[in-house]
């Protein structure tokens, strides 16, 4: 035979540090800040590099225009005043790519660049001052310069470096057009960008550590009331529903959570207390007929000739009624929503009155000939009418009256009145409480279990109606039930909760 094993539930594992809200918030905020800083740093570096390159290009253009001015006034190419070759290399290049003027190291070198070339001129075109090919007129320089980034090695033993080169056209007084190439080193730009990037890379980890630490501490402080609420709820689950969670003095989400939690605990405490009271009252009501049955059965066993079948039947019927009432209230409390049907309230009253028997007093009915349709559960609405008639029979002095008529705004009204002592105004709401008997002097057998009117109110409310207690004509109590009328012939909707 296989050995039988018993599964033992393992204790709950403690939460891992990375599984907490605090850790996830810290990680997420640090990651977001890191991405934002990296994006901002990249943008700053790009803007800085662009500005430094533009600044180098401006310096190169200034140098090129200085040389172009000399060319435009007719200064011979071998007498041009050129800037320092190490910082700003300059070449004057002819249309055939011949270097006409340059520093010592660049004089025999090829042209610095190959853009903004001077066009080849013919004798006829050189004789004209106005040119349609974009070249400047005699004795002038072009209005705009062209720019390129070129890698150059000014000396044989020096490494190549980047230069921002400006190309500018200029025309001599004799009509010869040349290109002046002037460069400005980008070494300063590279060093500045590298320095800023290194500073960002050094400061980024330290800044992220500060962000993570601040987020961790702020989140810890913000979630401390939540932990207090959780701990208090864990202790309240032990059974003491009268306790409440601590509510912070702030007006933030945590304070509203604590307020809602306390309201939920209050409603739960009230519900549990009501359930306990209901169970206690139900046990008390059931104990009396059960004890009576047991006593009569024991007497009958010892003395069969003393057996009273009428008493046994009466106690059994009463026990059955209490059990049925309790079962119906349990279903109503559980939210049961019976399927409703279209029915004529006046016809339902006629049928119920025709099937009633054993009433102490006659029932006077005032029912219309026209149908008054409502959408309701036939069984539950018949139960409402029966409970109201039973209550009226119990208190009436000589007559019980039932009336059905059309109310305002398309409603249908059911009135059940008696000529008894009536219900005092102070007790007209309390009379619908479960297990309540206003007449303390009457016996349980005469007064019932105190559940009939409670069932009436719950059923009527679930059908979207209302019930009111007033004073009948000539004295006594009048219970008025108002239900919404059925406006469509095929209305088959669930009863309203």
């Amino acid at each position: 035979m296989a050995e039988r094993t018993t599964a033992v539930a393992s204790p709950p594992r403690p939460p891992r540090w990375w599984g907490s809200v605090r850790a996830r918030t810290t990680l997420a905020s640090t990651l977001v800040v890191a991405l934002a800083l990296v994006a901002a740093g990249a943008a700053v570096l790009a803007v800085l590099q662009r500005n430094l390159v533009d600044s180098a290009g401006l310096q190169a253009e200034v140098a090129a225009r200085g040389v172009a001015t000399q060319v435009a006034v007719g200064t011979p190419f071998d007498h041009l005043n050129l800037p320092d070759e190490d910082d700003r290399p300059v070449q004057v290049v002819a249309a055939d790519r011949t270097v006409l003027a340059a520093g010592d190291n660049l004089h025999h070198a090829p042209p610095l660049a190959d853009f903004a070339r001077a066009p080849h001129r013919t004798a006829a075109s050189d004789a004209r001052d106005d040119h349609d090919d974009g070249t400047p007129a005699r004795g002038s320089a072009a209005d705009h310069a062209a720019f390129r980034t070129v890698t150059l090695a000014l000396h044989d033993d020096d490494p190549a470096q980047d230069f921002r080169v400006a190309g500018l056209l200029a025309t001599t007084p004799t009509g010869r057009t040349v290109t002046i190439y002037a460069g400005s080193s980008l070494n300063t730009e590279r060093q500045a960008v590298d320095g800023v990037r290194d500073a960002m890379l050094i400061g980024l980890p330290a800044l992220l550590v500060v962000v993570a630490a601040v987020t961790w501490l702020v989140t810890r402080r913000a979630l401390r009331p939540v932990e207090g609420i959780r701990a208090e709820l864990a202790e309240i689950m032990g059974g003491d529903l009268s306790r409440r969670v601590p509510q912070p003095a702030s007006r933030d989400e945590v304070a509203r959570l604590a307020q809602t939690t306390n309201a939920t605990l209050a409603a739960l405490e009230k519900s549990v207390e009501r359930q306990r009271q209901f169970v206690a009252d139900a046990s008390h009501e059931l104990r009396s007929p059960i004890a009576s049955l047991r006593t009569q059965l024991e007497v009958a066993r010892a003395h069969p000739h003393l057996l009273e079948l009428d008493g046994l039947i009466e106690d059994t019927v009463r026990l059955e009624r209490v059990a049925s009432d309790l079962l119906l209230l349990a279903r109503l409390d559980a939210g049961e929503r019976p399927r409703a049907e279209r029915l004529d309230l006046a016809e339902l009253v006629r049928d119920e009155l025709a099937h009633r028997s054993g009433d102490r007093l006659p029932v006077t009915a005032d029912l219309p000939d026209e149908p008054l349709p409502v959408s309701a559960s036939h069984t539950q609405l018949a139960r409402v009418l029966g409970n109201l008639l039973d209550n009226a029979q119990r208190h009436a002095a000589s007559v019980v009256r039932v009336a059905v008529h059309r109310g305002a705004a398309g409603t249908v009204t059911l009135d059940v009145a008696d000529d008894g002592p009536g219900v005092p105004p102070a007790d007209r709401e309390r009379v619908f409480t479960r297990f309540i008997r206003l007449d303390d002097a009457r016996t349980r057998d005469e007064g019932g279990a105190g559940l009939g009117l409670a069932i009436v109110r719950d059923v009527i409310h679930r059908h979207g109606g209302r019930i009111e207690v007033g004073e009948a004509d000539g004295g006594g109590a009048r219970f008025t039930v108002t239900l919404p009328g059925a406006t469509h012939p095929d209305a088959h909707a669930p009863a309203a909760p």
Side-chain angles (χ1 to χ4, degrees), residues 274 327-340 375-377 380-381 384 434 454-467 481-484 493-497:
R274 182 181 178 184
L327 181 60
L328 178 56
L329 286 174
R331 292 202 306 266
L332 293 176
D333 290 341
E336 178 181 301
R337 305 176 72 175
R339 180 173 179 80
S375 180
S377 169
Q380 292 192 2
L381 208 56
V384 167
R434 299 176 183 181
I455 292 175
V456 169
R457 182 186 61 176
D458 289 353
V459 170
I460 293 303
H461 284 178
R462 288 192 175 275
H463 283 78
R466 66 180 185 274
I467 182 169
V481 174
T482 304
L483 292 172

Side-chain angles (χ1 to χ4, degrees), residues 20 32 68 79 81 102 122 136 145 161 171 178-179 228 244 255 292 301 333 384 397 400 436 440 459:
S20 64
V32 170
H79 288 80
N81 184 15
T122 63
Q161 57 179 319
T171 304
V178 297
T179 304
R244 297 293 181 264
S292 178
R301 183 178 61 181
D333 290 341
V384 167
V400 175
I436 288 295
D440 296 333
V459 170

Side-chain angles (χ1 to χ4, degrees), residues 422-433:
V423 180
D427 295 329
R428 289 178 179 176
E429 181 63 27
R430 181 169 165 263
V431 73
F432 296 105
T433 306

Side-chain angles (χ1 to χ4, degrees), residues 363-447:
V363 178
T364 302
D366 182 10
L367 304 177
D369 296 332
E370 61 172 343
L372 295 178
V374 294
S375 180
S377 169
H378 186 283
T379 303
Q380 292 192 2
L381 208 56
R383 185 67 171 273
V384 167
L385 178 60
N387 288 357
L388 291 177
L389 289 175
D390 291 341
N391 180 77
Q393 289 284 344
R394 189 177 299 119
H395 297 89
S398 60
V399 67
V400 175
R401 294 182 295 273
V402 177
V404 177
H405 55 87
R406 189 178 301 277
T411 60
V412 179
T413 301
L414 168 67
D415 288 334
V416 178
D418 61 73
D419 59 349
V423 180
D427 295 329
R428 289 178 179 176
E429 181 63 27
R430 181 169 165 263
V431 73
F432 296 105
T433 306
R434 299 176 183 181
F435 300 104
I436 288 295
R437 299 179 181 88
L438 300 182
D439 187 1
D440 296 333
R442 65 177 183 233
T443 64
R444 292 184 182 273
D445 293 337
E446 295 172 351

Side-chain angles (χ1 to χ4, degrees), residues 94-95 118-133 135-139 170-178:
H120 290 280
R121 310 293 298 176
T122 63
S125 61
D126 287 341
R128 297 195 305 266
D129 288 339
D130 52 338
H131 309 294
D132 56 1
D133 54 2
T135 58
R138 295 184 181 187
T171 304
T172 65
T174 61
R176 186 178 186 181
T177 302
V178 297

Side-chain angles (χ1 to χ4, degrees), residues 116-464:
R117 289 188 180 184
H120 290 280
R121 310 293 298 176
T122 63
S125 61
D126 287 341
R128 297 195 305 266
D129 288 339
D130 52 338
H131 309 294
D132 56 1
D133 54 2
T135 58
R138 295 184 181 187
S140 63
D143 294 334
H144 302 285
F147 297 93
R148 295 290 188 278
T149 299
V150 180
T151 302
L152 300 175
L154 299 180
H155 304 282
D156 295 337
D157 55 348
D158 289 342
Q161 57 179 319
D162 293 334
F163 286 84
R164 189 64 172 172
V165 177
L168 185 65
L169 295 178
T171 304
T172 65
T174 61
R176 186 178 186 181
T177 302
V178 297
T179 304
I180 297 94
Y181 292 109
S184 178
S185 176
L186 294 177
N187 187 42
T188 303
E189 172 267 341
R190 180 179 57 81
Q191 293 178 354
V193 172
D194 291 345
V196 173
R197 183 182 63 247
D198 294 341
M200 288 182 176
L201 293 177
I202 294 174
L204 181 62
L207 182 59
L208 292 180
V209 170
V210 173
V211 171
V214 171
T215 304
W216 180 272
L217 295 177
V218 171
T219 308
R220 178 183 179 182
R221 182 174 182 179
L223 293 179
R224 188 177 299 166
V226 178
E227 178 61 24
I229 294 174
R230 186 207 62 79
E232 188 67 21
L233 277 177
E235 296 183 6
I236 292 175
M237 291 302 294
D240 187 4
L241 294 177
S242 63
R243 299 173 59 176
R244 297 293 181 264
V245 300
Q247 185 171 339
S250 59
R251 297 182 179 180
D252 54 6
E253 292 82 356
V254 178
R256 292 196 293 271
L257 172 63
Q259 183 179 2
T260 304
T261 303
N262 286 333
T264 304
L265 289 174
L268 182 61
E269 180 186 12
K270 183 178 180 181
S271 176
V272 171
E273 183 62 28
R274 182 181 178 184
Q275 182 180 9
R276 290 175 179 172
Q277 185 65 35
F278 180 78
V279 172
D281 292 337
S283 301
H284 186 71
E285 292 295 334
L286 292 173
R287 182 166 44 189
S288 176
I290 291 176
S292 178
L293 283 173
R294 180 178 179 180
T295 301
Q296 296 184 59
L297 291 174
E298 289 178 350
V299 170
R301 183 178 61 181
H303 307 282
H305 62 281
L306 297 179
L307 177 63
E308 295 183 5
L309 291 178
D310 293 339
L312 289 175
I313 294 175
E314 184 179 350
D315 287 338
T316 304
V317 170
R318 182 182 173 209
L319 184 61
E320 180 184 7
R321 288 178 178 175
V322 173
S324 178
D325 290 344
L326 293 176
L327 181 60
L328 178 56
L329 286 174
R331 292 202 306 266
L332 293 176
D333 290 341
E336 178 181 301
R337 305 176 72 175
R339 180 173 179 80
E341 57 182 314
R342 180 184 174 88
L343 54 90
D344 183 5
L345 184 58
E347 187 64 26
L348 182 144
V349 173
R350 290 190 185 95
D351 293 342
E352 291 300 316
L353 292 179
H355 290 87
R356 285 184 65 86
S357 62
D359 285 340
R360 184 174 60 91
L361 298 173
V363 178
T364 302
D366 182 10
L367 304 177
D369 296 332
E370 61 172 343
L372 295 178
V374 294
S375 180
S377 169
H378 186 283
T379 303
Q380 292 192 2
L381 208 56
R383 185 67 171 273
V384 167
L385 178 60
N387 288 357
L388 291 177
L389 289 175
D390 291 341
N391 180 77
Q393 289 284 344
R394 189 177 299 119
H395 297 89
S398 60
V399 67
V400 175
R401 294 182 295 273
V402 177
V404 177
H405 55 87
R406 189 178 301 277
T411 60
V412 179
T413 301
L414 168 67
D415 288 334
V416 178
D418 61 73
D419 59 349
V423 180
D427 295 329
R428 289 178 179 176
E429 181 63 27
R430 181 169 165 263
V431 73
F432 296 105
T433 306
R434 299 176 183 181
F435 300 104
I436 288 295
R437 299 179 181 88
L438 300 182
D439 187 1
D440 296 333
R442 65 177 183 233
T443 64
R444 292 184 182 273
D445 293 337
E446 295 172 351
L451 295 176
L453 294 181
I455 292 175
V456 169
R457 182 186 61 176
D458 289 353
V459 170
I460 293 303
H461 284 178
R462 288 192 175 275
H463 283 78

